[in-house]
Amino acid sequence: MARVAGSIDGQAVHEVVLTSQTGVRISILTYGALIRDWRVPVGSTMRPVVLGFDDIALYGDHSPYFGAIAGRVANRIGNARFTLDGLSYDLPANEGPNQLHGGPEGIARQIWQIAQESENSVRLTLFSPDGAMGYPGNLDIAVTYTLTGNRLEVDFAAETDKPTPVNIVQHNYFNLMGTGDVLDHRLCVPSGAHVELGVGQIPTGAILPTGGTDLDFRQKRSLRRTDGEGQKVDNCLVLDTARDRSEPAAIVQAPDGSLTLRLYTDQPGMQVYNGWKLEVPVPGLDGAHYKAFGGLCLEDQNFPDAINNPHFPSSVVTPDAGYRHWCAIEIG
């Protein structure tokens, strides 16, 4: 059952640990509804497969969204501004002139409530009031984690009392070796297109083919360039709308073949970020030091800046049509 694991800014943070019959153990915190630790049996050891902190207090100042539920609108909104139903909304910028992951005090930096828990499942909720980080509408958010064997299902839901953009994502940094960098992990994303990015990684509005580019991951390959150096990836790949949702939208294989990750989703995009900007000055899990390329993010979501690109899939939810999002991650 939930226990107090520490505090952030004077607020108690609770931890729930999910376990499964295959020996998988996942720790979830009420701060940011984040996954703090995910351990998978490999031989006689329990290997950590996500980045996080043993010291809960470090999340407040040092976490680049490790394991968090990011939003209200994950990814970027250009110039921290949008127009909806004829009204303009200015948001607090936290990445140059743009807003990233819902702003400096987005839902990843809030204390969530535990609504329900069991040995293998927990449901967390958060009320985000009208005007929070500049967004219209009161928003009731729920995220449910359910662990079965090696498979973690994540169900997202949100209800609003007025139209508002929503794009919520689970922001794990995966490392299937438990240490070192992820450059020799082998990634496959069956995507033939990507969202073109301009200044500040804001979409230009164009959708371009991945074929012949370094964003073509349709055949499983490493995260190195042809010269062997690390490839810097922080891009949204477009998933085929006609794809079979029972097939994985991303597959990652550990360099030694010991573990394979499969991610399933109902979302239209997959932001792939291989942690090239990482440089965490404080110790992580088991005293690890997280350096550049230390973790791989697979953020299944809507396209970045969708609210300012009407030809992108809509990110607007209404009182009549709430937000729903499902994903599942298998590691074994």
Side-chain angles (χ1 to χ4, degrees):
M1 303 301 285
R3 69 175 188 90
V4 175
S7 66
I8 295 176
D9 297 330
Q11 298 183 84
V13 176
H14 287 77
E15 179 183 43
V16 174
V17 177
L18 308 183
T19 58
S20 79
Q21 65 274 28
T22 57
V24 175
R25 187 172 74 244
I26 299 177
S27 161
I28 295 165
L29 301 182
T30 52
Y31 179 75
L34 65 83
I35 292 176
R36 184 185 70 84
D37 196 2
W38 185 332
R39 304 269 170 161
V40 178
V42 179
S44 61
T45 66
M46 290 292 286
R47 182 181 297 176
V49 294
V50 296
L51 309 191
F53 298 114
D54 289 320
D55 184 349
I56 304 303
L58 297 178
Y59 280 97
D61 293 328
H62 296 288
S63 174
Y65 300 95
F66 282 160
I69 299 295
R72 291 186 184 188
V73 177
N75 216 310
R76 295 167 176 88
I77 292 182
N79 294 313
R81 181 182 302 123
F82 66 89
T83 299
L84 180 60
D85 294 340
L87 296 176
S88 294
Y89 295 90
D90 290 308
L91 314 174
N94 61 329
E95 190 183 61
N98 309 312
Q99 189 184 83
L100 174 68
H101 293 327
E105 296 298 329
I107 65 175
R109 296 181 63 86
Q110 305 299 317
I111 302 291
W112 294 54
Q113 304 301 310
I114 298 173
Q116 184 177 342
E117 64 173 308
S118 66
E119 182 179 0
N120 73 321
S121 181
V122 63
R123 182 173 183 264
L124 300 113
T125 60
L126 179 72
F127 174 68
S128 180
D130 186 16
M133 288 291 95
Y135 290 98
N138 293 300
L139 194 69
D140 286 294
I141 310 167
V143 174
T144 304
Y145 292 105
T146 304
L147 176 63
T148 306
N150 295 337
R151 180 184 178 100
L152 180 71
E153 294 201 12
V154 190
D155 290 283
F156 308 78
E159 306 291 342
T160 183
D161 58 0
K162 68 171 68 168
T164 191
V166 177
N167 184 32
I168 301 174
V169 71
Q170 215 293 326
H171 203 297
N172 279 309
Y173 286 70
F174 295 103
N175 186 320
L176 299 183
M177 294 301 292
T179 187
D181 64 49
V182 296
L183 291 176
D184 292 314
H185 284 52
R186 296 177 62 79
L187 171 67
C188 176
V189 180
S191 165
H194 67 98
V195 177
E196 184 184 46
L197 300 179
V199 175
Q201 293 183 275
I202 301 302
T204 65
I207 303 295
L208 301 180
T210 58
T213 77
D214 59 7
L215 294 177
D216 190 351
F217 289 97
R218 287 175 292 181
Q219 298 297 318
K220 193 183 299 180
R221 65 176 178 84
S222 78
L223 293 157
R224 294 187 184 276
R225 303 188 316 231
T226 53
D227 63 5
E229 294 298 313
Q231 177 186 343
K232 296 179 179 180
V233 184
D234 192 4
N235 296 81
C236 185
L237 302 181
V238 177
L239 301 177
D240 184 356
T241 55
R243 72 186 189 279
D244 183 348
R245 301 305 200 272
S246 68
E247 294 294 323
I251 301 173
V252 183
Q253 188 174 55
D256 65 355
S258 57
L259 289 175
T260 299
L261 178 154
R262 295 176 176 84
L263 188 150
Y264 306 80
T265 181
D266 59 4
Q267 294 298 288
M270 179 78 68
Q271 185 82 14
V272 177
Y273 170 50
N274 63 352
W276 61 269
K277 293 175 258 190
L278 273 181
E279 186 61 49
V280 182
V282 294
L285 296 173
D286 301 336
H289 291 282
Y290 301 135
K291 305 290 187 181
F293 301 106
L296 175 62
C297 301
L298 300 169
E299 306 163 45
D300 60 305
Q301 58 179 279
N302 200 351
F303 301 167
D305 206 26
I307 189 65
N308 289 317
N309 288 273
H311 58 294
F312 286 0
S314 177
S315 62
V316 176
V317 300
T318 67
D320 296 328
Y323 178 83
R324 297 292 183 274
H325 170 182
W326 169 87
C327 77
I329 305 162
E330 295 176 356
I331 303 177

PDB file of all heavy atoms in Angstrom, residues 21-41:
ATOM      1  N   GLN A  21       3.380 -11.275 -11.338  1.00  0.00           N
ATOM      2  CA  GLN A  21       3.744 -12.669 -11.136  1.00  0.00           C
ATOM      3  C   GLN A  21       5.047 -13.032 -11.833  1.00  0.00           C
ATOM      4  O   GLN A  21       5.657 -14.062 -11.525  1.00  0.00           O
ATOM      5  CB  GLN A  21       2.611 -13.588 -11.618  1.00  0.00           C
ATOM      6  CG  GLN A  21       2.334 -13.542 -13.113  1.00  0.00           C
ATOM      7  CD  GLN A  21       1.375 -12.439 -13.520  1.00  0.00           C
ATOM      8  OE1 GLN A  21       1.277 -11.406 -12.881  1.00  0.00           O
ATOM      9  NE2 GLN A  21       0.661 -12.688 -14.627  1.00  0.00           N
ATOM     10  N   THR A  22       5.518 -12.193 -12.765  1.00  0.00           N
ATOM     11  CA  THR A  22       6.789 -12.465 -13.438  1.00  0.00           C
ATOM     12  C   THR A  22       7.964 -11.804 -12.726  1.00  0.00           C
ATOM     13  O   THR A  22       9.101 -11.875 -13.192  1.00  0.00           O
ATOM     14  CB  THR A  22       6.748 -11.990 -14.896  1.00  0.00           C
ATOM     15  OG1 THR A  22       6.440 -10.593 -14.931  1.00  0.00           O
ATOM     16  CG2 THR A  22       5.725 -12.765 -15.702  1.00  0.00           C
ATOM     17  N   GLY A  23       7.694 -11.130 -11.600  1.00  0.00           N
ATOM     18  CA  GLY A  23       8.760 -10.530 -10.812  1.00  0.00           C
ATOM     19  C   GLY A  23       9.054  -9.081 -11.126  1.00  0.00           C
ATOM     20  O   GLY A  23       9.951  -8.485 -10.514  1.00  0.00           O
ATOM     21  N   VAL A  24       8.299  -8.472 -12.064  1.00  0.00           N
ATOM     22  CA  VAL A  24       8.488  -7.059 -12.387  1.00  0.00           C
ATOM     23  C   VAL A  24       8.006  -6.205 -11.214  1.00  0.00           C
ATOM     24  O   VAL A  24       6.982  -6.514 -10.580  1.00  0.00           O
ATOM     25  CB  VAL A  24       7.732  -6.679 -13.675  1.00  0.00           C
ATOM     26  CG1 VAL A  24       7.816  -5.175 -13.943  1.00  0.00           C
ATOM     27  CG2 VAL A  24       8.281  -7.457 -14.866  1.00  0.00           C
ATOM     28  N   ARG A  25       8.746  -5.129 -10.924  1.00  0.00           N
ATOM     29  CA  ARG A  25       8.390  -4.230  -9.836  1.00  0.00           C
ATOM     30  C   ARG A  25       8.493  -2.782 -10.334  1.00  0.00           C
ATOM     31  O   ARG A  25       9.530  -2.378 -10.851  1.00  0.00           O
ATOM     32  CB  ARG A  25       9.316  -4.443  -8.644  1.00  0.00           C
ATOM     33  CG  ARG A  25       8.909  -3.660  -7.403  1.00  0.00           C
ATOM     34  CD  ARG A  25       9.754  -4.059  -6.198  1.00  0.00           C
ATOM     35  NE  ARG A  25      11.102  -3.508  -6.291  1.00  0.00           N
ATOM     36  CZ  ARG A  25      12.203  -4.236  -6.390  1.00  0.00           C
ATOM     37  NH1 ARG A  25      12.133  -5.557  -6.432  1.00  0.00           N
ATOM     38  NH2 ARG A  25      13.397  -3.665  -6.455  1.00  0.00           N
ATOM     39  N   ILE A  26       7.402  -2.020 -10.178  1.00  0.00           N
ATOM     40  CA  ILE A  26       7.355  -0.636 -10.652  1.00  0.00           C
ATOM     41  C   ILE A  26       6.925   0.270  -9.514  1.00  0.00           C
ATOM     42  O   ILE A  26       5.890   0.051  -8.880  1.00  0.00           O
ATOM     43  CB  ILE A  26       6.382  -0.487 -11.848  1.00  0.00           C
ATOM     44  CG1 ILE A  26       6.846  -1.360 -13.015  1.00  0.00           C
ATOM     45  CG2 ILE A  26       6.285   0.965 -12.285  1.00  0.00           C
ATOM     46  CD1 ILE A  26       5.909  -1.341 -14.219  1.00  0.00           C
ATOM     47  N   SER A  27       7.745   1.302  -9.265  1.00  0.00           N
ATOM     48  CA  SER A  27       7.456   2.290  -8.224  1.00  0.00           C
ATOM     49  C   SER A  27       6.864   3.531  -8.854  1.00  0.00           C
ATOM     50  O   SER A  27       7.422   4.082  -9.811  1.00  0.00           O
ATOM     51  CB  SER A  27       8.752   2.638  -7.477  1.00  0.00           C
ATOM     52  OG  SER A  27       8.617   3.864  -6.779  1.00  0.00           O
ATOM     53  N   ILE A  28       5.743   4.007  -8.302  1.00  0.00           N
ATOM     54  CA  ILE A  28       5.037   5.179  -8.825  1.00  0.00           C
ATOM     55  C   ILE A  28       4.851   6.184  -7.699  1.00  0.00           C
ATOM     56  O   ILE A  28       4.451   5.819  -6.585  1.00  0.00           O
ATOM     57  CB  ILE A  28       3.680   4.766  -9.427  1.00  0.00           C
ATOM     58  CG1 ILE A  28       3.916   3.866 -10.654  1.00  0.00           C
ATOM     59  CG2 ILE A  28       2.854   5.984  -9.812  1.00  0.00           C
ATOM     60  CD1 ILE A  28       2.701   3.120 -11.115  1.00  0.00           C
ATOM     61  N   LEU A  29       5.144   7.446  -7.983  1.00  0.00           N
ATOM     62  CA  LEU A  29       5.013   8.516  -7.001  1.00  0.00           C
ATOM     63  C   LEU A  29       3.790   9.375  -7.296  1.00  0.00           C
ATOM     64  O   LEU A  29       3.384   9.528  -8.446  1.00  0.00           O
ATOM     65  CB  LEU A  29       6.250   9.416  -7.006  1.00  0.00           C
ATOM     66  CG  LEU A  29       7.600   8.780  -6.706  1.00  0.00           C
ATOM     67  CD1 LEU A  29       8.692   9.847  -6.718  1.00  0.00           C
ATOM     68  CD2 LEU A  29       7.581   8.041  -5.370  1.00  0.00           C
ATOM     69  N   THR A  30       3.246   9.987  -6.224  1.00  0.00           N
ATOM     70  CA  THR A  30       2.141  10.925  -6.430  1.00  0.00           C
ATOM     71  C   THR A  30       2.631  12.248  -7.000  1.00  0.00           C
ATOM     72  O   THR A  30       1.842  12.997  -7.584  1.00  0.00           O
ATOM     73  CB  THR A  30       1.386  11.179  -5.115  1.00  0.00           C
ATOM     74  OG1 THR A  30       2.315  11.563  -4.088  1.00  0.00           O
ATOM     75  CG2 THR A  30       0.635   9.934  -4.669  1.00  0.00           C
ATOM     76  N   TYR A  31       3.918  12.568  -6.865  1.00  0.00           N
ATOM     77  CA  TYR A  31       4.463  13.763  -7.501  1.00  0.00           C
ATOM     78  C   TYR A  31       4.572  13.498  -8.997  1.00  0.00           C
ATOM     79  O   TYR A  31       5.304  12.621  -9.447  1.00  0.00           O
ATOM     80  CB  TYR A  31       5.844  14.098  -6.946  1.00  0.00           C
ATOM     81  CG  TYR A  31       6.481  15.313  -7.577  1.00  0.00           C
ATOM     82  CD1 TYR A  31       6.058  16.600  -7.258  1.00  0.00           C
ATOM     83  CD2 TYR A  31       7.510  15.182  -8.502  1.00  0.00           C
ATOM     84  CE1 TYR A  31       6.647  17.719  -7.832  1.00  0.00           C
ATOM     85  CE2 TYR A  31       8.102  16.294  -9.078  1.00  0.00           C
ATOM     86  CZ  TYR A  31       7.667  17.559  -8.754  1.00  0.00           C
ATOM     87  OH  TYR A  31       8.253  18.667  -9.337  1.00  0.00           O
ATOM     88  N   GLY A  32       3.793  14.240  -9.790  1.00  0.00           N
ATOM     89  CA  GLY A  32       3.813  14.060 -11.230  1.00  0.00           C
ATOM     90  C   GLY A  32       3.253  12.744 -11.709  1.00  0.00           C
ATOM     91  O   GLY A  32       3.370  12.410 -12.897  1.00  0.00           O
ATOM     92  N   ALA A  33       2.637  11.964 -10.803  1.00  0.00           N
ATOM     93  CA  ALA A  33       2.156  10.615 -11.137  1.00  0.00           C
ATOM     94  C   ALA A  33       3.242   9.830 -11.870  1.00  0.00           C
ATOM     95  O   ALA A  33       2.981   9.052 -12.773  1.00  0.00           O
ATOM     96  CB  ALA A  33       0.879  10.684 -11.986  1.00  0.00           C
ATOM     97  N   LEU A  34       4.485  10.038 -11.450  1.00  0.00           N
ATOM     98  CA  LEU A  34       5.629   9.548 -12.221  1.00  0.00           C
ATOM     99  C   LEU A  34       6.054   8.138 -11.841  1.00  0.00           C
ATOM    100  O   LEU A  34       5.846   7.672 -10.716  1.00  0.00           O
ATOM    101  CB  LEU A  34       6.810  10.510 -12.092  1.00  0.00           C
ATOM    102  CG  LEU A  34       7.498  10.737 -10.738  1.00  0.00           C
ATOM    103  CD1 LEU A  34       8.529   9.645 -10.431  1.00  0.00           C
ATOM    104  CD2 LEU A  34       8.178  12.095 -10.710  1.00  0.00           C
ATOM    105  N   ILE A  35       6.673   7.470 -12.802  1.00  0.00           N
ATOM    106  CA  ILE A  35       7.313   6.182 -12.563  1.00  0.00           C
ATOM    107  C   ILE A  35       8.733   6.467 -12.097  1.00  0.00           C
ATOM    108  O   ILE A  35       9.562   6.976 -12.855  1.00  0.00           O
ATOM    109  CB  ILE A  35       7.312   5.318 -13.832  1.00  0.00           C
ATOM    110  CG1 ILE A  35       5.871   4.902 -14.176  1.00  0.00           C
ATOM    111  CG2 ILE A  35       8.197   4.079 -13.639  1.00  0.00           C
ATOM    112  CD1 ILE A  35       5.746   4.122 -15.467  1.00  0.00           C
ATOM    113  N   ARG A  36       9.002   6.173 -10.818  1.00  0.00           N
ATOM    114  CA  ARG A  36      10.313   6.446 -10.244  1.00  0.00           C
ATOM    115  C   ARG A  36      11.319   5.361 -10.589  1.00  0.00           C
ATOM    116  O   ARG A  36      12.498   5.629 -10.848  1.00  0.00           O
ATOM    117  CB  ARG A  36      10.206   6.581  -8.719  1.00  0.00           C
ATOM    118  CG  ARG A  36      11.526   6.960  -8.039  1.00  0.00           C
ATOM    119  CD  ARG A  36      11.407   6.962  -6.532  1.00  0.00           C
ATOM    120  NE  ARG A  36      11.261   5.624  -5.970  1.00  0.00           N
ATOM    121  CZ  ARG A  36      12.286   4.815  -5.696  1.00  0.00           C
ATOM    122  NH1 ARG A  36      13.521   5.206  -5.935  1.00  0.00           N
ATOM    123  NH2 ARG A  36      12.073   3.628  -5.175  1.00  0.00           N
ATOM    124  N   ASP A  37      10.849   4.107 -10.585  1.00  0.00           N
ATOM    125  CA  ASP A  37      11.749   2.969 -10.767  1.00  0.00           C
ATOM    126  C   ASP A  37      10.965   1.847 -11.426  1.00  0.00           C
ATOM    127  O   ASP A  37       9.773   1.661 -11.149  1.00  0.00           O
ATOM    128  CB  ASP A  37      12.296   2.536  -9.399  1.00  0.00           C
ATOM    129  CG  ASP A  37      13.517   1.632  -9.496  1.00  0.00           C
ATOM    130  OD1 ASP A  37      13.983   1.357 -10.613  1.00  0.00           O
ATOM    131  OD2 ASP A  37      14.017   1.208  -8.433  1.00  0.00           O
ATOM    132  N   TRP A  38      11.624   1.101 -12.301  1.00  0.00           N
ATOM    133  CA  TRP A  38      11.003  -0.033 -12.998  1.00  0.00           C
ATOM    134  C   TRP A  38      12.074  -1.104 -13.077  1.00  0.00           C
ATOM    135  O   TRP A  38      13.106  -0.927 -13.724  1.00  0.00           O
ATOM    136  CB  TRP A  38      10.554   0.411 -14.380  1.00  0.00           C
ATOM    137  CG  TRP A  38       9.791  -0.572 -15.219  1.00  0.00           C
ATOM    138  CD1 TRP A  38       9.844  -1.927 -15.206  1.00  0.00           C
ATOM    139  CD2 TRP A  38       8.843  -0.227 -16.250  1.00  0.00           C
ATOM    140  NE1 TRP A  38       8.997  -2.467 -16.143  1.00  0.00           N
ATOM    141  CE2 TRP A  38       8.372  -1.448 -16.802  1.00  0.00           C
ATOM    142  CE3 TRP A  38       8.371   0.981 -16.759  1.00  0.00           C
ATOM    143  CZ2 TRP A  38       7.450  -1.475 -17.854  1.00  0.00           C
ATOM    144  CZ3 TRP A  38       7.449   0.955 -17.794  1.00  0.00           C
ATOM    145  CH2 TRP A  38       6.982  -0.260 -18.335  1.00  0.00           C
ATOM    146  N   ARG A  39      11.863  -2.212 -12.370  1.00  0.00           N
ATOM    147  CA  ARG A  39      12.865  -3.278 -12.306  1.00  0.00           C
ATOM    148  C   ARG A  39      12.324  -4.538 -12.982  1.00  0.00           C
ATOM    149  O   ARG A  39      11.186  -4.954 -12.744  1.00  0.00           O
ATOM    150  CB  ARG A  39      13.212  -3.605 -10.853  1.00  0.00           C
ATOM    151  CG  ARG A  39      13.696  -2.397 -10.048  1.00  0.00           C
ATOM    152  CD  ARG A  39      15.184  -2.225 -10.083  1.00  0.00           C
ATOM    153  NE  ARG A  39      15.577  -0.935  -9.515  1.00  0.00           N
ATOM    154  CZ  ARG A  39      16.804  -0.651  -9.077  1.00  0.00           C
ATOM    155  NH1 ARG A  39      17.752  -1.568  -9.130  1.00  0.00           N
ATOM    156  NH2 ARG A  39      17.082   0.545  -8.602  1.00  0.00           N
ATOM    157  N   VAL A  40      13.195  -5.146 -13.796  1.00  0.00           N
ATOM    158  CA  VAL A  40      12.838  -6.344 -14.546  1.00  0.00           C
ATOM    159  C   VAL A  40      13.858  -7.438 -14.232  1.00  0.00           C
ATOM    160  O   VAL A  40      15.068  -7.178 -14.246  1.00  0.00           O
ATOM    161  CB  VAL A  40      12.824  -6.045 -16.065  1.00  0.00           C
ATOM    162  CG1 VAL A  40      12.510  -7.305 -16.862  1.00  0.00           C
ATOM    163  CG2 VAL A  40      11.812  -4.955 -16.385  1.00  0.00           C
ATOM    164  N   PRO A  41      13.403  -8.665 -13.943  1.00  0.00           N
ATOM    165  CA  PRO A  41      14.362  -9.748 -13.680  1.00  0.00           C
ATOM    166  C   PRO A  41      15.180 -10.068 -14.936  1.00  0.00           C
ATOM    167  O   PRO A  41      14.620 -10.282 -16.019  1.00  0.00           O
ATOM    168  CB  PRO A  41      13.473 -10.936 -13.305  1.00  0.00           C
ATOM    169  CG  PRO A  41      12.133 -10.360 -12.984  1.00  0.00           C
ATOM    170  CD  PRO A  41      12.010  -9.119 -13.806  1.00  0.00           C
TER     171      PRO A  41
END
